[in-house]
Amino acid sequence: MSAASQTPTDTAPQGDSGPPPARPARRAHRSLALALLAGAAGAGLALLASGRTWAEGSAVLAQGALPRTVTGADVTGVPGALAVVGLAALVAVFAVRRVGRIAVAALLALSGVGIAVAAVLGNSDTSALREKAATAVGLTGTDVHHVTHTGWPWVAAAGGLLLLVAGLLALVYGRHWPAMSGKYERTPGGGRGPRRAPAPPDLDRPEEIWKSLDRGEDPTR
């Protein structure tokens, strides 16, 4: 039997093995979860560190040494304030779209940068400690000795870096993230969208017929 008389076998194309996996959707979901976790943890760490002791020292008096301590809020109020801003920006990311989402994501990232920079600079700042010592002693220009710094400024800096990560994720993947429901958004003309058609009147109830006639509707339609 010749090769031309043989029945050709059905061969399926090898290139199409079904629809490709939804990798962009999975990547968007992962980035969203990571941004939420990093943003919430970063803001929480910055707020927690702002209320903890950052530095300790002693003011020398004739009667002895007077120990003094300062918290992060005493040294600088920037980490606590920017943590609140970053947390608000993290929530606002889902309330805006397009250019607004990019702007809010940039604000989130900048909040993280500001927290980290302020925490690093505050780690070596002793001005707040000297002010507390001068207030306790009653003499301006009182110096403090045996100054020690705790690790809480670095905790605040880590929180700032986490907020920065959340902001960068929002900048890169935010366009794929879902937004809040638009059922309460106004239409371009200023209304609240098409209104639901009224239910047809019950012809067995005379008051319903009169109400429909008052509205100028034909109840028999």
Side-chain angles (χ1 to χ4, degrees), residues 39-114:
L45 286 177
L47 288 173
L48 175 65
S50 295
R52 302 296 179 175
T53 299
W54 281 25
E56 302 174 349
S58 300
V60 179
L61 300 175
Q63 297 82 3
L66 180 63
R68 297 283 91 183
T69 61
V70 289
T71 64
D74 296 327
V75 176
T76 173
V78 172
L82 288 183
V84 176
V85 173
L87 197 58
L90 183 64
V91 176
V93 165
F94 304 98
V96 293
R97 294 181 178 88
R98 298 184 181 89
V99 179
R101 178 166 290 185
I102 295 175
V104 173
L107 177 62
L108 177 60
L110 291 176
S111 298
V113 173

Side-chain angles (χ1 to χ4, degrees), residues 56-69 129-139 142-147:
E56 302 174 349
S58 300
V60 179
L61 300 175
Q63 297 82 3
L66 180 63
R68 297 283 91 183
T69 61
L129 195 59
R130 289 197 301 269
E131 288 179 4
K132 274 205 168 183
T135 302
V137 175
L139 296 175
T142 302
D143 199 7
V144 289
H145 303 274
H146 310 294
V147 177

